[in-house]
Amino acid sequence: MEWEQCLTEAGCRVTQARRAVIAVLSATDVPLSPQEILRQGAAIHPSLGLVTVYRTVALLEDLGLVQRPHHSEGCHGYLPTLPGHRHHVVCTHCGRTAQFLGGEGLDDLIARVEHGTRYRVDHHMLQFEGLCPTCQERGA
Amino acid sequence: MEWEQCLTEAGCRVTQARRAVIAVLSATDVPLSPQEILRQGAAIHPSLGLVTVYRTVALLEDLGLVQRPHHSEGCHGYLPTLPGHRHHVVCTHCGRTAQFLGGEGLDDLIARVEHGTRYRVDHHMLQFEGLCPTCQERGA
DNA sequence: GTTGGTGCAAATAATTTGCATAGCT
DNA sequence: AGCTATGCAAATTATTTGCACCAAC
């Protein structure tokens, strides 16, 4: 698992607790809350505690391995970062997500905004909400 | 003040407490937390309580008069919605924000994402972070 | 005069910290 | 062995709810 390698390279230990959190997060396409990570992680490593989940998730976020999508309703939970892909579409019905690349349409827009507002744009956050294919079929 | 008119039209009363919250929020270009709104609002209406701030802010959000920008660090606070403008650039240094329109670059991107992921995109959230003109000058 | 809104206190939920112990390397 | 990470309990912070009183319409 390359996530464990990231930990090692960062000088962090690979513990059972971290393995459990990683197993849960690396496999999800629905953003998970700390509580939910605990619930699923405890199945793998029963003594896992909520505090450790918070700490591990913060660590993984620092390492860029997970990120927190947001949307109109607030902050959603934690989701693995796919290489090169940076943005999310969140299903408003089931919470499932997909990721996609920004592309040059976004670069044009950034240039326009920099010009219009005189801000220097360093970062962007783009996220879509809608219905995933499954929920569309179910007529949600 | 047209915000008060919105309240009336929605069948809500225009109270001193709401007037105070409106006065604070309609004048800011920095996203404000409930605590901060209370602090500033209490200068106008001393008996203002935090609970009322929470309730008023939720009401204003329902009416579309304020919104909550998010960014990598989490949820930021409440900010007035400017007519027709929908997105924010948040200064990473001082928190000041500007707003801008999405434009057709975004529509193209949405069409591409809908095609690529098979999601039906209903909503989008786009936000930039960077340095505002003032903080750039100060060499932050 | 009604009814919706307020503000207090208290309940609940979310997150962080202190510390003794367990477990990587 | 040495030192990091863990997990508990408790502290802190953020948010919501119940209720008696007040004020806008």
Side-chain angles (χ1 to χ4, degrees):
Chain A
M1 193 65 77
E2 68 223 51
W3 288 30
E4 297 185 5
Q5 201 180 323
C6 287
L7 286 181
T8 307
E9 282 166 11
C12 299
R13 293 181 181 173
V14 177
T15 63
Q16 294 307 314
R18 285 176 178 170
R19 253 193 253 271
V21 172
I22 287 174
V24 171
L25 277 176
S26 63
T28 189
D29 64 349
V30 179
L32 300 177
S33 67
Q35 291 286 352
E36 184 59 21
I37 295 168
L38 173 66
R39 210 184 56 72
Q40 295 186 31
I44 302 168
H45 180 60
S47 72
L48 183 63
L50 183 57
V51 178
T52 300
V53 172
Y54 273 103
R55 286 191 278 225
T56 303
V57 139
L59 174 61
L60 295 176
E61 200 177 10
D62 278 351
L63 296 176
L65 294 170
V66 299
Q67 55 191 298
R68 251 187 303 212
H70 304 252
H71 75 166
S72 39
E73 303 293 305
C75 303
H76 240 175
Y78 292 87
L79 207 58
T81 306
L82 298 182
H85 290 73
R86 314 220 49 125
H87 304 292
H88 303 273
V89 216
V90 183
C91 178
T92 46
H93 194 248
C94 70
R96 198 175 282 132
T97 61
Q99 303 194 13
F100 60 89
L101 286 161
E104 77 287 342
L106 202 48
D107 295 334
D108 289 352
L109 180 59
I110 290 175
R112 227 176 324 131
V113 169
E114 286 193 315
H115 190 262
T117 64
R118 307 248 153 246
Y119 274 58
R120 197 187 72 214
V121 176
D122 299 322
H123 254 322
H124 59 270
M125 240 204 73
L126 170 63
Q127 198 175 296
F128 294 148
E129 291 171 57
L131 281 182
C132 71
T134 309
C135 290
Q136 282 174 53
E137 275 170 29
R138 292 195 187 143
Chain B
M1 193 64 76
E2 68 225 49
W3 289 28
E4 297 184 6
Q5 201 180 324
C6 288
L7 285 181
T8 307
E9 282 165 12
C12 299
R13 293 181 181 172
V14 177
T15 63
Q16 293 307 313
R18 287 176 176 169
R19 253 192 254 272
V21 172
I22 286 173
V24 171
L25 277 175
S26 62
T28 189
D29 64 350
V30 179
L32 300 177
S33 66
Q35 291 286 351
E36 184 59 22
I37 295 168
L38 174 66
R39 208 184 57 72
Q40 294 187 31
I44 302 169
H45 180 60
S47 73
L48 183 63
L50 183 56
V51 178
T52 300
V53 172
Y54 274 101
R55 287 191 277 225
T56 304
V57 140
L59 173 62
L60 295 176
E61 200 178 10
D62 278 351
L63 296 176
L65 295 170
V66 300
Q67 53 191 300
R68 250 187 305 212
H70 304 252
H71 75 165
S72 38
E73 302 294 306
C75 303
H76 240 173
Y78 293 87
L79 207 58
T81 306
L82 298 181
H85 290 72
R86 315 221 51 122
H87 304 291
H88 303 273
V89 215
V90 183
C91 178
T92 48
H93 194 248
C94 70
R96 199 173 283 132
T97 61
Q99 303 195 13
F100 60 90
L101 287 161
E104 78 287 344
L106 202 48
D107 295 334
D108 289 352
L109 180 59
I110 290 175
R112 225 175 328 130
V113 169
E114 286 192 316
H115 190 262
T117 64
R118 307 249 153 245
Y119 274 57
R120 197 187 73 213
V121 175
D122 299 322
H123 253 321
H124 59 268
M125 240 205 71
L126 170 65
Q127 197 176 299
F128 295 147
E129 291 172 57
L131 281 183
C132 71
T134 309
C135 290
Q136 283 174 53
E137 277 172 29
R138 291 191 187 147

